[in-house]
Amino acid sequence: MFRNVAELVKLAEQQQVKIAEIMIRQEIEVSGLSREEIIAKMDENLTVMEKAIERGLNGVKSQTGLTGGDAVLLQNYIKSGRALSGNLLLDAVSKAMATNEVNAAMGIICATPTAGSAGVVPGTLFAVKNQLNPTRKEMIEYLFTAAAFGFVIANNASISGAAGGCQAEVGSAAGMAAASIVEMAGGTPKQAAEAMAITLKNMLGLVCDPVAGLVEVPCVKRNAMGASNAMTAADMALAGITSRIPCDEVIAAMYSIGQSMPSSLRETGEGGLAATPTGRRLEAEIFGEPKARLADYLVSRDS
Amino acid sequence: MKYRSAFDIIGPIMIGPSSSHTAGAARIGRVARTLFERQPRKAVISFYGSFAKTYKGHGTDLAIVAGLLDFDTFDERIPDSLKIAEQSGMEVIFKTEDAVPDHPNTVKINLYDGDIQLEVIGISIGGGTIEITEINSFKLKLSGDPAILVIHEDRFGIISSVTSILAKYQINIGHMEVARKEKGETAIMVIEVDQKIEDKIIEELKKLQNVTRVIRMVE
């Protein structure tokens, strides 16, 4: 069993297989299920992801009305031909948002690694699919590669916003996605690890500050940027750029940053964007019970 | 290692919006129901930490109750669970606690049906993965793996009788914990295993002397 990214990369290099294959072999050993059963299980997850994206691209709205419809806006913009940052990148961003808009609307999604960060891995997958034309098997492998990296993060740091902030959720998801993109594009296991390191480095310190405590604002747009970050880092790694800080040390840094983050910035809905005047106003509108701090704000604004 | 499977990372398939606050909560509720071995008439659900602050926004309340109704994490009835609970005669009371728990996502569930009572404390550690940390004041650690719970009188030889039966059926034990409140009184065994445990094994364990209850955990 691999305990860190260095071991994971070494195993893949020694056995001359993809990282996805290392994860599948470990899963066979741990679960006692057959390869076919494991592949079928991941295939189901893939189907759920595909349907969630489809649903999101048709336009959804959450019960609070805070989120929904942005994935559609971005698709329309791509079609207009005016996009500056590249259609593939924006397609990934749009599909990441589509998934999270469905999640916010209490629809069915597959957590990757969590529900709040469920957009990044499928969003990037279904965008690069259009360029790389993978087989169904390769798409399933994409998810196992993501799982392998997520597995290391989850066991050595955290994938919970409440424990480690958004860097642990969308940051982890983005790192996982970057590694998977690299592997699907034909990069080496080492390049996959570099892509993850580069991505996660740039998500460090990201706090979890959901408005009204809901997985909506800023979560949908954080998934958008997670996808964009993953795409860029994957291209950088494929270009031969490496991270000066090794992947495992970046993960360790993420963990220690999460440990020192105040609880107001770890999914309590008490700090950051949640505590802004607008954040508090939205909270009051949704739950109909203005908090003390909202009252303070209203007084100060009037005076 | 806290996480053992690729499907802890890619998965579960679930109703949004939060894997820890919705899916994990549903799983804790479902484990509590399994331990209670029936649908409770009354449930008192106390939220701590982040759960206490944000349970409404994440539908944590709906999810725990859905779990108590034996719904899975992807059951589309989760958003309607409170209404369904009311229709099926289950009274639900929510409380928020100020005490700072060891883990930010902690919930205490008290279940009642006449004289029968159960108190379960669970934590949702991220990505839908959960741990049960306390059952009726017994401190323990029970995760989502296949597991059995054996409640028994604290007498010598019981642990070896139980493990002998598992050995006979070639069931490998991954993690095992024993706990008791007082010497010679009620004790509890949590046995996490690698294989699925069939009904006949459970029946055989139940027949052991001084064994009061045997509960198989759902995944």
Side-chain angles (χ1 to χ4, degrees), chain B residues 55-100:
Chain B
Y55 76 93
K56 272 189 185 166
H58 288 118
T60 310
D61 46 354
L62 307 177
I64 297 244
V65 172
L68 293 174
L69 291 166
D70 212 18
F71 296 174
D72 213 325
T73 52
F74 51 82
D75 198 308
E76 296 195 76
R77 293 172 295 175
I78 289 177
D80 303 317
S81 68
L82 292 183
K83 205 187 296 166
I84 298 169
E86 199 187 333
Q87 285 162 356
S88 64
M90 180 165 85
E91 184 194 350
V92 182
I93 296 165
F94 295 106
K95 289 181 173 176
T96 53
E97 305 285 346
D98 290 330
V100 178

Short mmCIF file of all heavy atoms in Angstrom, two decimals, chain B residues 55-100:
data_model
loop_
_atom_site.label_atom_id
_atom_site.label_comp_id
_atom_site.label_asym_id
_atom_site.label_seq_id
_atom_site.Cartn_x
_atom_site.Cartn_y
_atom_site.Cartn_z
N TYR B 55 -25.96 23.41 10.28
CA TYR B 55 -26.73 22.21 9.91
C TYR B 55 -27.92 22.51 9.00
O TYR B 55 -28.24 21.74 8.09
CB TYR B 55 -27.17 21.43 11.15
CG TYR B 55 -28.33 22.02 11.93
CD1 TYR B 55 -29.64 21.62 11.66
CD2 TYR B 55 -28.12 22.93 12.95
CE1 TYR B 55 -30.70 22.14 12.40
CE2 TYR B 55 -29.16 23.46 13.68
CZ TYR B 55 -30.46 23.06 13.40
OH TYR B 55 -31.50 23.58 14.11
N LYS B 56 -28.52 23.67 9.19
CA LYS B 56 -29.68 24.01 8.36
C LYS B 56 -29.28 24.21 6.90
O LYS B 56 -29.92 23.71 5.99
CB LYS B 56 -30.35 25.28 8.87
CG LYS B 56 -31.38 25.01 9.94
CD LYS B 56 -32.16 26.27 10.24
CE LYS B 56 -33.10 26.04 11.40
NZ LYS B 56 -33.60 27.31 11.93
N GLY B 57 -28.21 24.96 6.70
CA GLY B 57 -27.76 25.27 5.35
C GLY B 57 -27.36 24.05 4.55
O GLY B 57 -27.50 24.02 3.33
N HIS B 58 -26.85 23.03 5.22
CA HIS B 58 -26.38 21.84 4.52
C HIS B 58 -27.41 20.73 4.48
O HIS B 58 -27.13 19.66 3.96
CB HIS B 58 -25.12 21.30 5.21
CG HIS B 58 -23.92 22.15 4.99
ND1 HIS B 58 -23.25 22.75 6.01
CD2 HIS B 58 -23.25 22.49 3.87
CE1 HIS B 58 -22.22 23.44 5.53
NE2 HIS B 58 -22.21 23.29 4.23
N GLY B 59 -28.55 20.96 5.10
CA GLY B 59 -29.52 19.87 5.16
C GLY B 59 -29.05 18.73 6.04
O GLY B 59 -29.46 17.59 5.87
N THR B 60 -28.16 19.02 7.02
CA THR B 60 -27.67 17.98 7.93
C THR B 60 -28.83 17.37 8.72
O THR B 60 -28.87 16.17 8.96
CB THR B 60 -26.63 18.57 8.91
OG1 THR B 60 -25.65 19.29 8.16
CG2 THR B 60 -25.92 17.49 9.71
N ASP B 61 -29.77 18.23 9.10
CA ASP B 61 -30.95 17.75 9.83
C ASP B 61 -31.77 16.77 8.99
O ASP B 61 -32.14 15.69 9.45
CB ASP B 61 -31.81 18.94 10.32
CG ASP B 61 -32.04 20.00 9.24
OD1 ASP B 61 -31.43 19.89 8.14
OD2 ASP B 61 -32.82 20.93 9.48
N LEU B 62 -31.98 17.16 7.72
CA LEU B 62 -32.75 16.28 6.81
C LEU B 62 -32.02 14.95 6.62
O LEU B 62 -32.63 13.88 6.60
CB LEU B 62 -32.92 16.95 5.44
CG LEU B 62 -33.49 18.37 5.41
CD1 LEU B 62 -33.52 18.90 3.98
CD2 LEU B 62 -34.91 18.37 5.99
N ALA B 63 -30.68 15.04 6.52
CA ALA B 63 -29.88 13.85 6.21
C ALA B 63 -29.86 12.86 7.39
O ALA B 63 -30.01 11.66 7.20
CB ALA B 63 -28.46 14.26 5.85
N ILE B 64 -29.68 13.37 8.61
CA ILE B 64 -29.65 12.47 9.78
C ILE B 64 -30.99 11.74 9.89
O ILE B 64 -31.05 10.53 10.09
CB ILE B 64 -29.41 13.27 11.08
CG1 ILE B 64 -28.04 13.94 11.01
CG2 ILE B 64 -29.57 12.37 12.31
CD1 ILE B 64 -27.02 13.50 11.99
N VAL B 65 -32.07 12.50 9.73
CA VAL B 65 -33.39 11.90 9.84
C VAL B 65 -33.60 10.88 8.71
O VAL B 65 -34.14 9.80 8.92
CB VAL B 65 -34.49 12.99 9.84
CG1 VAL B 65 -35.88 12.37 9.75
CG2 VAL B 65 -34.36 13.84 11.09
N ALA B 66 -33.10 11.21 7.51
CA ALA B 66 -33.18 10.26 6.39
C ALA B 66 -32.46 8.97 6.76
O ALA B 66 -32.96 7.87 6.49
CB ALA B 66 -32.59 10.88 5.14
N GLY B 67 -31.31 9.10 7.39
CA GLY B 67 -30.56 7.92 7.84
C GLY B 67 -31.35 7.11 8.84
O GLY B 67 -31.40 5.88 8.78
N LEU B 68 -32.00 7.81 9.77
CA LEU B 68 -32.82 7.12 10.77
C LEU B 68 -34.00 6.39 10.11
O LEU B 68 -34.53 5.42 10.65
CB LEU B 68 -33.34 8.11 11.82
CG LEU B 68 -32.27 8.74 12.74
CD1 LEU B 68 -32.88 9.81 13.63
CD2 LEU B 68 -31.58 7.67 13.58
N LEU B 69 -34.40 6.89 8.93
CA LEU B 69 -35.47 6.24 8.17
C LEU B 69 -34.91 5.13 7.28
O LEU B 69 -35.64 4.53 6.49
CB LEU B 69 -36.21 7.27 7.30
CG LEU B 69 -37.05 8.31 8.04
CD1 LEU B 69 -37.44 9.45 7.10
CD2 LEU B 69 -38.31 7.66 8.64
N ASP B 70 -33.59 4.89 7.40
CA ASP B 70 -32.91 3.84 6.62
C ASP B 70 -32.72 4.20 5.15
O ASP B 70 -32.61 3.32 4.30
CB ASP B 70 -33.69 2.50 6.74
CG ASP B 70 -32.72 1.31 6.69
OD1 ASP B 70 -31.52 1.53 6.90
OD2 ASP B 70 -33.18 0.19 6.43
N PHE B 71 -32.66 5.51 4.83
CA PHE B 71 -32.41 5.92 3.45
C PHE B 71 -30.90 5.94 3.20
O PHE B 71 -30.12 6.29 4.07
CB PHE B 71 -32.93 7.35 3.17
CG PHE B 71 -34.42 7.51 3.28
CD1 PHE B 71 -34.98 8.77 3.17
CD2 PHE B 71 -35.25 6.42 3.48
CE1 PHE B 71 -36.36 8.95 3.27
CE2 PHE B 71 -36.63 6.58 3.57
CZ PHE B 71 -37.18 7.86 3.47
N ASP B 72 -30.51 5.63 1.97
CA ASP B 72 -29.11 5.70 1.58
C ASP B 72 -28.75 7.15 1.21
O ASP B 72 -29.63 8.00 1.07
CB ASP B 72 -28.85 4.75 0.41
CG ASP B 72 -27.44 4.16 0.48
OD1 ASP B 72 -26.53 4.89 0.92
OD2 ASP B 72 -27.26 2.99 0.11
N THR B 73 -27.44 7.40 0.98
CA THR B 73 -26.97 8.77 0.73
C THR B 73 -27.48 9.35 -0.60
O THR B 73 -27.43 10.55 -0.80
CB THR B 73 -25.43 8.83 0.68
OG1 THR B 73 -24.97 7.84 -0.24
CG2 THR B 73 -24.82 8.56 2.04
N PHE B 74 -27.92 8.46 -1.52
CA PHE B 74 -28.38 8.97 -2.82
C PHE B 74 -29.90 8.89 -2.97
O PHE B 74 -30.43 8.99 -4.06
CB PHE B 74 -27.68 8.21 -3.96
CG PHE B 74 -27.77 6.72 -3.83
CD1 PHE B 74 -28.89 6.04 -4.24
CD2 PHE B 74 -26.71 6.01 -3.27
CE1 PHE B 74 -28.97 4.66 -4.11
CE2 PHE B 74 -26.78 4.63 -3.13
CZ PHE B 74 -27.91 3.95 -3.55
N ASP B 75 -30.59 8.70 -1.84
CA ASP B 75 -32.05 8.58 -1.89
C ASP B 75 -32.67 9.95 -2.14
O ASP B 75 -32.43 10.89 -1.38
CB ASP B 75 -32.55 8.00 -0.56
CG ASP B 75 -33.95 7.45 -0.67
OD1 ASP B 75 -34.84 8.19 -1.15
OD2 ASP B 75 -34.17 6.29 -0.29
N GLU B 76 -33.46 10.04 -3.20
CA GLU B 76 -34.01 11.35 -3.56
C GLU B 76 -35.11 11.82 -2.61
O GLU B 76 -35.63 12.92 -2.76
CB GLU B 76 -34.49 11.33 -5.01
CG GLU B 76 -33.31 11.10 -5.95
CD GLU B 76 -33.60 11.40 -7.41
OE1 GLU B 76 -33.65 12.59 -7.76
OE2 GLU B 76 -33.77 10.43 -8.18
N ARG B 77 -35.45 10.99 -1.63
CA ARG B 77 -36.43 11.42 -0.62
C ARG B 77 -35.77 12.22 0.51
O ARG B 77 -36.46 12.73 1.38
CB ARG B 77 -37.14 10.20 -0.03
CG ARG B 77 -38.04 9.45 -1.02
CD ARG B 77 -38.56 8.15 -0.43
NE ARG B 77 -37.46 7.21 -0.18
CZ ARG B 77 -37.60 6.04 0.43
NH1 ARG B 77 -38.79 5.66 0.89
NH2 ARG B 77 -36.58 5.24 0.61
N ILE B 78 -34.42 12.32 0.51
CA ILE B 78 -33.72 13.02 1.61
C ILE B 78 -34.29 14.42 1.86
O ILE B 78 -34.58 14.76 3.01
CB ILE B 78 -32.19 13.07 1.37
CG1 ILE B 78 -31.60 11.67 1.56
CG2 ILE B 78 -31.50 14.06 2.32
CD1 ILE B 78 -30.09 11.57 1.28
N PRO B 79 -34.49 15.25 0.81
CA PRO B 79 -35.03 16.59 1.09
C PRO B 79 -36.40 16.58 1.80
O PRO B 79 -36.77 17.55 2.43
CB PRO B 79 -35.14 17.23 -0.31
CG PRO B 79 -34.16 16.48 -1.15
CD PRO B 79 -34.16 15.07 -0.62
N ASP B 80 -37.14 15.48 1.70
CA ASP B 80 -38.47 15.41 2.32
C ASP B 80 -38.49 14.59 3.61
O ASP B 80 -39.56 14.21 4.10
CB ASP B 80 -39.47 14.77 1.34
CG ASP B 80 -39.54 15.55 0.03
OD1 ASP B 80 -39.57 16.79 0.10
OD2 ASP B 80 -39.53 14.91 -1.04
N SER B 81 -37.30 14.28 4.16
CA SER B 81 -37.25 13.30 5.25
C SER B 81 -38.04 13.73 6.50
O SER B 81 -38.62 12.88 7.17
CB SER B 81 -35.80 13.01 5.62
OG SER B 81 -35.21 14.14 6.21
N LEU B 82 -38.06 15.03 6.80
CA LEU B 82 -38.76 15.46 8.02
C LEU B 82 -40.25 15.15 7.92
O LEU B 82 -40.87 14.69 8.88
CB LEU B 82 -38.54 16.96 8.28
CG LEU B 82 -37.11 17.37 8.67
CD1 LEU B 82 -37.05 18.86 8.98
CD2 LEU B 82 -36.60 16.57 9.86
N LYS B 83 -40.79 15.41 6.74
CA LYS B 83 -42.22 15.13 6.53
C LYS B 83 -42.48 13.62 6.60
O LYS B 83 -43.44 13.17 7.23
CB LYS B 83 -42.63 15.67 5.15
CG LYS B 83 -44.12 16.00 5.07
CD LYS B 83 -44.54 16.36 3.66
CE LYS B 83 -43.88 17.64 3.15
NZ LYS B 83 -44.04 17.81 1.69
N ILE B 84 -41.59 12.85 6.00
CA ILE B 84 -41.76 11.39 5.99
C ILE B 84 -41.66 10.84 7.41
O ILE B 84 -42.42 9.96 7.80
CB ILE B 84 -40.72 10.72 5.06
CG1 ILE B 84 -40.92 11.21 3.62
CG2 ILE B 84 -40.82 9.20 5.11
CD1 ILE B 84 -39.82 10.84 2.66
N ALA B 85 -40.74 11.41 8.21
CA ALA B 85 -40.60 10.97 9.60
C ALA B 85 -41.89 11.23 10.37
O ALA B 85 -42.38 10.36 11.12
CB ALA B 85 -39.44 11.70 10.26
N GLU B 86 -42.44 12.40 10.16
CA GLU B 86 -43.68 12.76 10.85
C GLU B 86 -44.81 11.80 10.47
O GLU B 86 -45.52 11.29 11.33
CB GLU B 86 -44.05 14.20 10.49
CG GLU B 86 -45.02 14.83 11.47
CD GLU B 86 -45.51 16.19 10.98
OE1 GLU B 86 -44.79 16.86 10.22
OE2 GLU B 86 -46.64 16.56 11.37
N GLN B 87 -44.90 11.54 9.15
CA GLN B 87 -45.96 10.63 8.68
C GLN B 87 -45.79 9.22 9.24
O GLN B 87 -46.78 8.51 9.46
CB GLN B 87 -45.93 10.57 7.14
CG GLN B 87 -46.53 11.82 6.50
CD GLN B 87 -46.13 11.96 5.04
OE1 GLN B 87 -45.35 11.16 4.51
NE2 GLN B 87 -46.65 12.98 4.38
N SER B 88 -44.52 8.81 9.46
CA SER B 88 -44.32 7.44 9.94
C SER B 88 -44.24 7.39 11.47
O SER B 88 -43.80 6.40 12.04
CB SER B 88 -43.08 6.83 9.30
OG SER B 88 -41.94 7.54 9.71
N GLY B 89 -44.62 8.48 12.13
CA GLY B 89 -44.74 8.45 13.59
C GLY B 89 -43.43 8.56 14.35
O GLY B 89 -43.32 8.03 15.46
N MET B 90 -42.44 9.20 13.76
CA MET B 90 -41.18 9.40 14.48
C MET B 90 -41.06 10.87 14.87
O MET B 90 -41.05 11.75 14.01
CB MET B 90 -40.00 8.98 13.59
CG MET B 90 -38.65 9.17 14.25
SD MET B 90 -37.33 8.29 13.36
CE MET B 90 -36.90 9.47 12.11
N GLU B 91 -40.98 11.10 16.18
CA GLU B 91 -40.83 12.47 16.66
C GLU B 91 -39.36 12.85 16.62
O GLU B 91 -38.50 12.05 17.01
CB GLU B 91 -41.35 12.55 18.10
CG GLU B 91 -41.35 13.96 18.67
CD GLU B 91 -41.55 13.97 20.19
OE1 GLU B 91 -41.89 12.91 20.77
OE2 GLU B 91 -41.36 15.03 20.78
N VAL B 92 -39.04 14.05 16.14
CA VAL B 92 -37.64 14.45 16.02
C VAL B 92 -37.43 15.80 16.70
O VAL B 92 -38.18 16.74 16.49
CB VAL B 92 -37.22 14.58 14.53
CG1 VAL B 92 -35.75 14.94 14.43
CG2 VAL B 92 -37.48 13.29 13.78
N ILE B 93 -36.41 15.86 17.55
CA ILE B 93 -36.07 17.12 18.22
C ILE B 93 -34.61 17.45 17.90
O ILE B 93 -33.73 16.59 18.05
CB ILE B 93 -36.26 17.00 19.75
CG1 ILE B 93 -37.75 16.75 20.06
CG2 ILE B 93 -35.76 18.25 20.47
CD1 ILE B 93 -38.01 16.26 21.46
N PHE B 94 -34.36 18.67 17.45
CA PHE B 94 -32.98 19.09 17.17
C PHE B 94 -32.49 20.03 18.26
O PHE B 94 -33.23 20.88 18.74
CB PHE B 94 -32.91 19.82 15.83
CG PHE B 94 -33.25 18.95 14.66
CD1 PHE B 94 -34.47 19.08 14.00
CD2 PHE B 94 -32.36 17.99 14.22
CE1 PHE B 94 -34.79 18.27 12.93
CE2 PHE B 94 -32.66 17.17 13.14
CZ PHE B 94 -33.88 17.31 12.49
N LYS B 95 -31.21 19.85 18.62
CA LYS B 95 -30.59 20.74 19.61
C LYS B 95 -29.24 21.17 19.08
O LYS B 95 -28.58 20.40 18.38
CB LYS B 95 -30.37 20.00 20.93
CG LYS B 95 -31.63 19.70 21.71
CD LYS B 95 -31.25 19.00 22.99
CE LYS B 95 -32.47 18.82 23.87
NZ LYS B 95 -32.12 18.05 25.08
N THR B 96 -28.81 22.37 19.44
CA THR B 96 -27.43 22.74 19.13
C THR B 96 -26.71 22.95 20.45
O THR B 96 -27.25 23.53 21.39
CB THR B 96 -27.35 24.04 18.30
OG1 THR B 96 -28.08 25.06 18.96
CG2 THR B 96 -27.92 23.84 16.91
N GLU B 97 -25.48 22.44 20.52
CA GLU B 97 -24.71 22.48 21.75
C GLU B 97 -23.52 23.43 21.59
O GLU B 97 -22.93 23.51 20.51
CB GLU B 97 -24.19 21.08 22.12
CG GLU B 97 -25.29 20.02 22.21
CD GLU B 97 -26.12 20.13 23.49
OE1 GLU B 97 -25.69 20.85 24.42
OE2 GLU B 97 -27.19 19.49 23.55
N ASP B 98 -23.16 24.10 22.67
CA ASP B 98 -22.02 25.03 22.62
C ASP B 98 -20.69 24.36 22.91
O ASP B 98 -19.64 24.88 22.56
CB ASP B 98 -22.22 26.18 23.63
CG ASP B 98 -23.36 27.11 23.19
OD1 ASP B 98 -23.56 27.21 21.96
OD2 ASP B 98 -24.03 27.68 24.05
N ALA B 99 -20.75 23.20 23.57
CA ALA B 99 -19.50 22.52 23.95
C ALA B 99 -18.63 22.29 22.72
O ALA B 99 -19.13 21.97 21.65
CB ALA B 99 -19.83 21.19 24.61
N VAL B 100 -17.32 22.47 22.89
CA VAL B 100 -16.40 22.29 21.76
C VAL B 100 -16.00 20.81 21.68
O VAL B 100 -15.39 20.27 22.59
CB VAL B 100 -15.14 23.17 21.93
CG1 VAL B 100 -14.17 22.94 20.77
CG2 VAL B 100 -15.54 24.64 22.00
#
